[in-house]
Amino acid sequence: MKNRCLGGLLASIAAPLCAQQTPNVVVIVADDLGYGDLSCYGATSVSTPNVDRLAASGVRFTNAHACASTSTPARYSLLTGEYCFRRHGTDIATGDAGMIIRPEQVTVADIFRQSGYATAAIGKWHLGLGSRTGAQDWNGRLDMTPKDIGFSYHYLMAATADRVPCVFIEDGSVVNHDPEAPISVSYAANFPGEPTGAANPELLTKLKSSHGHNQSIVNGIGRIGYMKGGGRALWRDEDIADSIATAAIRFIGENREQPFFMYLCTNDVHVPRMPHERFRGKSALGLRGEAIMQFDETVGSVVQALHDNGLTDNTLIILTSDNGPVLDDGYQDQAATLNGSHRPWGPWRGGKYSAFEAGTRVPFIVCWPGTVTGRTTSAALVSQIDLMAAAAALTGTAIPHGAGIDSQDHLDTWLGRNSDDRPYVAEMAANRTLSLVSGQWKYIEPSNGAAKIGTVNIETGYLATPKLYNLATDPGETTNVRTTEPAQAEQMAALLAELRLPVTPADATLWYYLTTPKRENRYATHTASGLMGFTEPQGEASMWKLLRRTDGTFDLVNRASGLYLTTGQVKIPALQMPTSSIPPAAGWTLTTSGIMGCLYAISNGTSELNQAGSARNYMVLNWGNGTNVTDAGCLYAIVPAAAEPNPDGIATPWLPEGEQQGGNGTDGAPISALYNLAGQRLSPTRQPAPGCYVVKTPSGSARTVYYRAR
């Protein structure tokens, strides 16, 4: 097919090396498939022979983790190599969400394309389509698609089967679009005259809702969101798996003469579970068991297509799931009633949505005949976030600066060449609570969420105090040992705090004005000439973000231009401070010369400046120790820009309701949320170290304060 070696004996000697350099790569991602849902992982109530054969031909991992216990954030991290908690807007996406991964971001698909691969995204997407939420042209061509982030071909469900629009998208257009039934989609209000599951339950002829899922009705099943039209473009749920498998098989055949990367995401076993009629009555677990069987058939069909095209030995297959399992997830499909002794979550606690282990401990199988030794079981700690680094190592491609910042190269572990653990894996629950697994330890940070989600009957792991578990002796996470292992808990809490630090402009959420309160209160503004001072803010050109470095200091970036403050040579008379288009990398060392050596990078608690009772601000930098006479002034302070105060909208109190934050610089008003200077919201249950912070009041206003412990 694509053996790049010479013929004869030389070819036979070099073939294994060539196969390692240019394998096809197929990543199969199931939906809501639990650790214990496959027979090769111990399931006895359902059989998955095709997946079992993959496991027998490769490495089956028992300590593999998704990055989140819900779909959208887990997939975001898998494709970008970046933890989902670094980005706002990575929670479960609506069907009309705009593209969450933006064109300027680098994806796993980009890495493969740089090496000449054809790339495809097939099946469930759930990462948004179009440039703007709610503004898609479903009757024409979408203006932003996976083609903008590295995929040369796509055949997709916009979100999930339980969300509208219930149509497939191929290369930016609705498949089988019906001009006689134009498509309208809304997640705000129903369209006049359109039936809903709530108002017309008699029309729910295939599945009735158990909670939610009672808005628009498509194919006799209630959905989330409202949809009008569609006509012949509407899918039939029973055919979804076949449609996805057919597109995958076609892509394999059309690209058998060149290397390809296929990101293949099934809808199984996500709700609504409505597998094809050929599976009906075949599983004692009912529709959920039949959906698992259907997933297994899809895997078998793809493997057979590789064989039929002579690609088996030159294809690396990775099979996993986006998050843990859930039984009743909104439909009366008897999944919980018929589950019996089956344990979709395996030996772990929790499930989908949860911070407990079953939320993110997922099946993970790597198969590459002739390269990966078969019938291998690995207990190595691995994470899906390392797919980008694995792709780069596999193809010899360099990851661009600033991309895949959390992805590490553990390809040798994935290929079974060693059993080295990843140092840690970080995970995010449905309410964005973070947990960390390192070695035998599992740490769950404090959270104010409910201990159990009643509708799905899943324990969340949320608690107002930290949790620490020894998974080696307590895999069920039953005994919190934080008080007996305080040093371990503090070490893992510190690592989570470090991981939360922003490392790119998009990570920080707060914008500031840089002012000179001792010199006419001028606002530092980036202009074509450099940094200039104005007596009034000049819109986004006067707004700045603070990007925290690993040494605890900060860099400054302008909102309008995206340029960073940088250093320059001494000029007499002094010139405007220059800017740079080169972003800082983690761990940058600030180098200066001459008068610019007085430039301060911010460090919490070390540079407080109380200029006057009416101007208690925080000193950002001291340029020339007050001797510089440029228009920008000398002493700078930061003030949150009123144009965008704390956009995450979290309303969890920092202190119990009614308590007030003490310390210099506050006005005694109740505090709704507390942030570090880079805009990262701090834990609502832990007192901060003394230093400078940003507070948000219940009215939504934001201000900087200097906090001292009482």
Side-chain angles (χ1 to χ4, degrees):
M1 153 255 183
K2 52 180 185 279
N3 191 339
R4 290 179 169 80
C5 297
L6 300 176
L9 180 61
L10 179 60
S12 65
I13 294 173
L17 176 61
C18 291
Q20 290 183 31
Q21 291 174 336
T22 61
N24 304 304
V25 178
V26 177
V27 177
I28 302 174
V29 182
D31 200 341
D32 296 354
L33 185 77
Y35 182 96
D37 276 329
L38 301 170
S39 44
C40 58
Y41 277 87
T44 57
S45 299
V46 64
S47 178
T48 53
N50 293 302
V51 176
D52 295 353
R53 279 190 285 272
L54 272 187
S57 301
V59 184
R60 181 180 65 88
F61 289 85
T62 60
N63 198 8
H65 296 254
C67 293
S69 58
T70 54
S71 176
T72 299
R75 293 162 193 266
Y76 175 89
S77 291
L78 186 148
L79 288 179
T80 64
E82 179 180 271
Y83 284 125
C84 43
F85 57 77
R86 297 193 185 280
R87 288 285 187 274
H88 290 277
T90 56
D91 299 302
I92 300 174
T94 59
D96 67 345
M99 286 271 288
I100 295 169
I101 303 174
R102 307 305 288 180
E104 62 270 18
Q105 291 181 260
V106 177
T107 67
V108 171
D110 288 313
I111 300 299
F112 281 110
R113 288 197 71 179
Q114 289 178 44
S115 295
Y117 278 61
T119 55
I122 296 174
K124 172 179 171 175
W125 182 239
H126 210 186
L127 287 165
L129 291 168
S131 60
R132 291 187 300 129
T133 295
Q136 295 88 349
D137 180 6
W138 301 108
N139 301 294
R141 291 191 66 83
L142 296 170
D143 64 346
M144 191 178 291
T145 72
K147 281 200 171 183
D148 294 291
I149 57 172
F151 289 100
S152 53
Y153 171 75
H154 60 268
Y155 182 92
L156 304 169
M157 305 164 67
T160 59
D162 62 344
R163 287 169 170 80
V164 300
C166 298
V167 295
F168 281 98
I169 310 293
E170 184 174 32
D171 285 344
S173 299
V174 170
V175 177
N176 297 325
H177 179 260
D178 188 345
E180 300 299 318
I183 298 170
S184 299
V185 173
S186 172
Y187 275 75
N190 192 24
F191 300 97
E194 292 296 310
T196 66
N200 306 95
E202 73 280 1
L203 300 181
L204 299 175
T205 56
K206 292 188 176 179
L207 273 180
K208 296 188 182 299
S209 305
S210 58
H211 50 89
H213 301 83
N214 60 359
Q215 296 175 329
S216 283
I217 301 171
V218 177
N219 189 36
I221 300 172
R223 315 286 167 159
I224 299 173
Y226 302 100
M227 178 179 182
K228 180 180 180 180
R232 62 175 177 267
L234 294 172
W235 65 49
R236 196 178 79 106
D237 295 75
E238 294 89 336
D239 298 327
I240 287 176
D242 288 346
S243 298
I244 292 172
T246 298
I249 293 168
R250 184 173 62 248
F251 177 79
I252 291 170
E254 291 175 350
N255 292 277
R256 61 183 178 273
E257 299 298 333
Q258 62 178 322
F260 60 79
F261 163 63
M262 181 165 62
Y263 172 64
L264 175 59
C265 301
T266 71
N267 180 67
D268 296 319
V269 292
H270 196 281
V271 296
R273 301 167 187 130
M274 187 56 54
H276 193 273
E277 288 85 351
R278 64 181 176 273
F279 295 100
R280 295 303 166 79
K282 299 292 180 65
S283 174
L285 301 180
L287 291 173
R288 189 173 186 276
E290 294 165 14
I292 295 172
M293 295 173 64
Q294 184 168 257
F295 167 74
D296 185 71
E297 183 186 82
T298 297
V299 173
S301 298
V302 170
V303 171
Q304 185 63 46
L306 293 170
H307 173 77
D308 293 344
N309 285 279
L311 307 178
T312 301
D313 293 340
N314 202 35
T315 300
L316 167 63
I317 299 176
I318 300 169
L319 183 147
T320 189
S321 179
D322 62 346
N323 50 248
V326 58
L327 297 179
D328 181 354
D329 204 19
Y331 294 95
Q332 298 179 34
D333 59 8
Q334 295 186 290
T337 302
L338 299 176
N339 189 63
S341 61
H342 179 57
R343 292 182 60 84
W345 42 85
W348 319 113
R349 185 177 182 182
K352 183 178 180 179
Y353 310 111
S354 175
F356 282 128
E357 196 71 355
T360 52
R361 180 84 71 114
V362 291
F364 196 82
I365 296 169
V366 178
C367 176
W368 186 2
T371 300
V372 173
T373 302
R375 299 191 181 280
T376 301
T377 298
S378 176
L381 179 65
V382 297
S383 171
Q384 292 177 358
I385 204 166
D386 292 333
L387 179 61
M388 179 176 286
L394 194 69
T395 60
T397 304
I399 298 176
H401 174 75
I405 55 177
D406 298 304
S407 193
Q408 302 176 3
D409 180 8
H410 293 283
L411 179 61
D412 283 348
T413 303
W414 287 24
L415 297 181
R417 294 169 179 164
N418 63 49
S419 56
D420 296 346
D421 283 338
R422 201 180 197 275
Y424 60 84
V425 298
E427 307 158 336
M428 187 177 83
N431 76 339
R432 301 188 77 87
T433 292
L434 299 189
S435 58
L436 196 72
V437 176
S438 181
Q440 71 200 60
W441 301 104
K442 167 75 173 284
Y443 175 83
I444 304 175
E445 70 176 355
S447 171
N448 288 335
K452 188 174 186 178
I453 305 174
T455 53
V456 295
N457 195 31
I458 289 177
E459 294 178 292
T460 63
Y462 307 155
L463 190 68
T465 54
K467 293 182 177 182
L468 180 70
Y469 299 101
N470 186 336
L471 295 178
T473 59
D474 181 24
E477 298 172 275
T478 61
T479 304
N480 184 1
V481 296
R482 179 183 66 88
T483 57
T484 58
E485 299 284 349
Q488 184 65 42
E490 285 302 314
Q491 178 183 339
M492 298 182 79
L495 177 54
L496 269 185
E498 181 180 337
L499 287 174
R500 269 199 166 98
L501 298 180
V503 292
T504 70
D507 294 331
T509 60
L510 298 179
W511 293 98
Y512 299 95
Y513 294 128
L514 305 185
T515 69
T516 57
K518 274 197 169 183
R519 192 174 186 272
E520 299 177 346
N521 203 36
R522 290 179 177 267
Y523 292 83
T525 302
H526 177 250
T527 70
S529 301
L531 191 69
M532 300 289 289
F534 293 86
T535 55
E536 295 292 336
Q538 305 297 301
E540 293 187 355
S542 296
M543 294 184 189
W544 301 83
K545 267 185 180 177
L546 308 182
L547 305 184
R548 188 161 188 180
R549 298 196 298 249
T550 56
D551 61 2
T553 59
F554 290 80
D555 288 292
L556 296 166
V557 62
N558 184 263
R559 182 171 188 174
S561 65
L563 297 180
Y564 295 77
L565 291 185
T566 187
T567 60
Q569 296 296 317
V570 177
K571 301 289 184 181
I572 299 176
L575 300 177
Q576 284 75 26
M577 185 182 295
T579 53
S580 170
S581 61
I582 302 174
W588 247 29
T589 300
L590 184 65
T591 57
T592 64
S593 60
I595 197 170
M596 295 304 296
C598 297
L599 175 64
Y600 284 28
I602 303 174
S603 178
N604 278 355
T606 62
S607 304
E608 182 194 9
L609 179 64
N610 288 310
Q611 294 138 349
S614 61
R616 288 179 175 173
N617 298 309
Y618 191 68
M619 188 169 68
V620 172
L621 54 90
N622 178 344
W623 191 6
N625 201 25
T627 62
N628 190 280
V629 293
T630 64
D631 199 25
C634 305
L635 296 175
Y636 288 80
I638 61 171
V639 177
E644 192 178 24
N646 302 307
D648 68 2
I650 298 174
T652 303
W654 162 254
L655 295 173
E657 189 70 22
E659 265 196 69
Q660 298 176 347
Q661 179 75 51
N664 182 28
T666 66
D667 58 10
I671 292 174
S672 175
L674 190 69
Y675 298 76
N676 66 20
L677 291 175
Q680 298 284 291
R681 186 172 184 272
L682 303 181
S683 167
T685 59
R686 299 185 67 181
Q687 291 294 331
C692 190
Y693 298 92
V694 176
V695 298
K696 179 183 176 184
T697 63
S699 66
S701 64
R703 66 190 188 282
T704 53
V705 299
Y706 187 82
Y707 169 75
R708 290 192 180 95
R710 286 180 284 186

